[in-house]
Each structure stands twice: as C-alpha cells, then as structure tokens.
Amino acid sequence: DIQMTQSPSSVSASVGDRVTITCRASQGISSWLAWYQQKPGKAPKVLIYAASNLQSGVPSRFSGSGSGTDFTLTISSLQPEDFATYYCQQANSFPLTFGGGTKVEIK
Amino acid sequence: EVQLVESGGGLVQPGGSLRLSCAASGFTFSTYAMHWVRQAPGKGLEYVSAISYNGDSTDYANSVKGRFTISRDNSKNTLYLQMGSLRAEDMAVYYCARRGDRGHYYVDNWGQGTLVTVSS
C-alpha cells in the first residue's frame, strides 16, 4: 500500500496568513493526488484534484502543486472559514490511502 | 444538485452484521463509480471499498476484505455496503462517496455519513 505522510499535523495561524501543508507519498503517484477540507461534524469536501486542479466553486486562494512523491497545498490568505482539518489522498491506485490530516487552528 | 443519503447505521454487537445503503440523486448514478470511506471517532479518513459504475469491479481495504461486500442497484440508484463479523475497530462514521471523473480515484461528492457503533 502507498503510505501518505502529511506535515505538519497541526498549524496555528492568523487570518490573512499564508499556510502551506505538505504531503509525501511512499512511492511515485504521478499527479494523482487530491486535497480535502473537513470541518467538525461535516463530511469532507474536495478542494484540489490531480494535484493542482481547483474543484469548481473552491476559492482561488487554495492552490496545489507537486508531482511524483511530494505535494503541497497552499492557502494564500487564510480566511475565518478556512479553519478546518485538511487531508491529502493518493488517487493513483487501490487501496486508496489518506494522509493523517493537518488541523489548521486559530492563533 | 448531487445528493447522497446514507442509512442503516446503528448499534450492533461484536460479530454482528449490518447493511448500509446510500440513495443517490441529482446525477446519472449508473455512470459513476462509487466508494465507501469511514472515519473512526476523532480519527482520520480511511478508505473502505469501491465499485465500478456497472458493478463489475470491486475493491476492498485489507482491513475489511472477506467481511464486507459492496454492491449497487442502478435501477434503484442505490449503493450498499454489507458488513459482517463486525469488530470494535469498525466503529466509525461511514460515508458514501462519488468518484470524480477528472483525476483518477478521487471523490467529488460525499454523503453526510451514517454512524456504526460496535459494542456489547
């Protein structure tokens, strides 16, 4: 199975800050990576698919980059509604695997 | 609007069985592959199973292989997960999820989830 390692596991940031979350795959997955946002008590929501493609309706302050084994999710200017937990997921092969999550908290 | 509504969760004893259902609407169900993903209380997301658009191909996480069966009825726009030999570690919110069509095996829509509690 492909292991997905996210870092950091949590980050404290202020509104307006730039936040970067990284995800590393244990083997190459080309660009087959997705990012999700999850708020407490809610289902996840896709932000980015195929590493860098913004899902329709997602604000442009979210961006993704990377290929192979190393990927990044960037929030260019953190907004109050962005405080949540973020997960990466390798979309290359079964079994699908998720990173452990990054909780973005208010500083 | 895509809607995925899970049902069938509840309390079950260890070793017991449960069948989850997911009613889909707002899209052509028979043309999309579907997944089940679960989340134990306070934990991260875990892939459970997937099924192709026509049901011909299925996949399972090692943790549920041989105990869970995914299926679908395209005439009823419904996805199922038959769960057997349930263990304490199967306790989780189970999400029905639609596979996106633009980037291999990612999810573009999720249900609200149904809670499965395994306890004596």
Side-chain angles (χ1 to χ4, degrees):
Chain A
D1 300 2
I2 300 174
Q3 307 304 316
M4 305 301 294
T5 303
Q6 258 182 264
S7 62
S9 57
S10 67
V11 57
S12 293
S14 300
V15 172
D17 284 353
R18 182 182 183 89
V19 173
T20 299
I21 299 168
T22 64
C23 184
R24 174 164 289 177
S26 60
Q27 63 190 75
I29 57 171
S30 186
S31 294
W32 302 124
L33 184 104
W35 289 98
Y36 303 92
Q37 176 194 66
Q38 187 179 34
K39 297 182 179 179
K42 300 293 187 182
K45 167 189 166 184
V46 65
L47 301 173
I48 302 283
Y49 63 93
S52 60
N53 293 271
L54 197 67
Q55 176 73 5
S56 175
V58 174
S60 59
R61 62 182 179 273
F62 291 93
S63 64
S65 64
S67 67
T69 60
D70 294 313
F71 301 86
T72 299
L73 173 70
T74 299
I75 309 171
S76 60
S77 177
L78 199 65
Q79 298 301 300
E81 60 268 30
D82 300 336
F83 291 96
T85 300
Y86 294 84
Y87 295 93
C88 63
Q89 177 232 316
Q90 66 85 7
N92 182 70
S93 60
F94 290 106
L96 308 182
T97 44
F98 292 86
T102 296
K103 187 173 184 179
V104 177
E105 299 174 300
I106 302 173
K107 181 182 279 185
Chain B
E1 179 194 3
V2 172
Q3 286 204 339
L4 301 168
V5 180
E6 301 94 337
S7 61
L11 175 63
V12 61
Q13 292 187 338
S17 299
L18 209 58
R19 187 176 85 156
L20 305 183
S21 300
C22 171
S25 61
F27 65 103
T28 306
F29 179 70
S30 61
T31 65
Y32 283 85
M34 299 293 293
H35 298 180
W36 287 100
V37 177
R38 69 185 180 184
Q39 187 169 35
K43 302 296 185 182
L45 300 170
E46 181 188 14
Y47 164 77
V48 174
S49 185
I51 188 167
S52 61
Y53 71 98
N54 60 3
D56 282 356
S57 177
T58 60
D59 184 80
Y60 299 92
N62 289 333
S63 58
V64 307
K65 201 170 291 184
R67 301 187 298 121
F68 291 10
T69 302
I70 191 172
S71 63
R72 65 190 298 159
D73 186 337
N74 285 346
S75 69
K76 295 182 178 179
N77 290 342
T78 303
L79 175 72
Y80 302 101
L81 185 67
Q82 179 69 47
M83 305 185 294
S85 302
L86 283 162
R87 308 166 179 167
E89 55 265 36
D90 295 318
M91 185 163 68
V93 173
Y94 284 72
Y95 293 104
C96 164
R98 189 183 83 168
R99 186 184 300 172
D101 56 4
R102 299 185 182 187
H104 255 212
Y105 309 124
Y106 75 105
V107 169
D108 69 353
N109 280 274
W110 301 71
Q112 85 287 351
T114 187
L115 177 62
V116 172
T117 302
V118 183
S119 175
S120 54

